[in-house]
Amino acid sequence: QVQLVESGGGSVQAGGSLRLSCAASAASGYTYSRYSMAWFRQAPGKEREGVACINNGGGITSYADSVKGRFTISRDNAKNTLYLEMNNLKPGDTAMYYCAANLRGNWISLRGSDFGVWGQGTQVTVSS
């Protein structure tokens, strides 16, 4: 089955930047480049929030209004890796960040139920 592993989280001051990575590995039969991928985040006591989604080729993206203009999602299909570049970070961005794979198709979505495999998460903490 597909496995996703996030990395790149850490602690930064407001206005700083981080780049998250999500490495995918899979058994025979799975083609990473066929499916949409997404980033989600969840802070303690709050609901999970869809952050950004990207289609298989990387040319179509969607962002939550709260991060639009500050975050950029991208992918390198040759490396089976998903990225999230986060700029001008704010304390409200503090959360555990998860990557997710669609596995069933290539549609754009920020709804968690549309994604079948999740990584373990990487913590992002932004101080004022």
Side-chain angles (χ1 to χ4, degrees), residues 11 20 25 27 42 58 68 72 80 82 89 97 100 107 114-115:
S11 299
L20 308 183
S25 62
Q42 187 168 27
K68 194 172 299 181
T72 302
N80 288 356
L82 178 74
L89 284 161
Y97 283 71
W107 62 86
D114 287 336
F115 297 85

Side-chain angles (χ1 to χ4, degrees), residues 55-96:
N55 76 322
N56 62 344
I60 304 174
T61 58
S62 180
Y63 297 90
D65 289 340
S66 59
V67 307
K68 194 172 299 181
R70 300 188 297 118
F71 291 10
T72 302
I73 187 171
S74 62
R75 65 193 296 164
D76 186 338
N77 288 339
K79 297 181 178 180
N80 288 356
T81 302
L82 178 74
Y83 302 97
L84 183 68
E85 182 179 356
M86 305 182 293
N87 298 312
N88 191 24
L89 284 161
K90 303 176 180 180
D93 297 319
T94 295
M96 185 74 76

Side-chain angles (χ1 to χ4, degrees), residues 29-58:
Y30 171 73
T31 304
Y32 169 82
S33 61
R34 288 184 178 180
Y35 306 106
S36 57
M37 301 281 292
W39 288 97
F40 293 80
R41 67 186 183 185
Q42 187 168 27
K46 298 183 179 180
E47 295 182 345
R48 181 178 59 192
E49 176 187 17
V51 175
C53 184
I54 189 167
N55 76 322
N56 62 344

Side-chain angles (χ1 to χ4, degrees), residues 95-115:
M96 185 74 76
Y97 283 71
Y98 301 89
C99 67
N102 185 298
L103 299 187
R104 294 185 294 152
N106 189 42
W107 62 86
I108 296 294
S109 174
L110 294 178
R111 183 165 56 189
S113 60
D114 287 336
F115 297 85

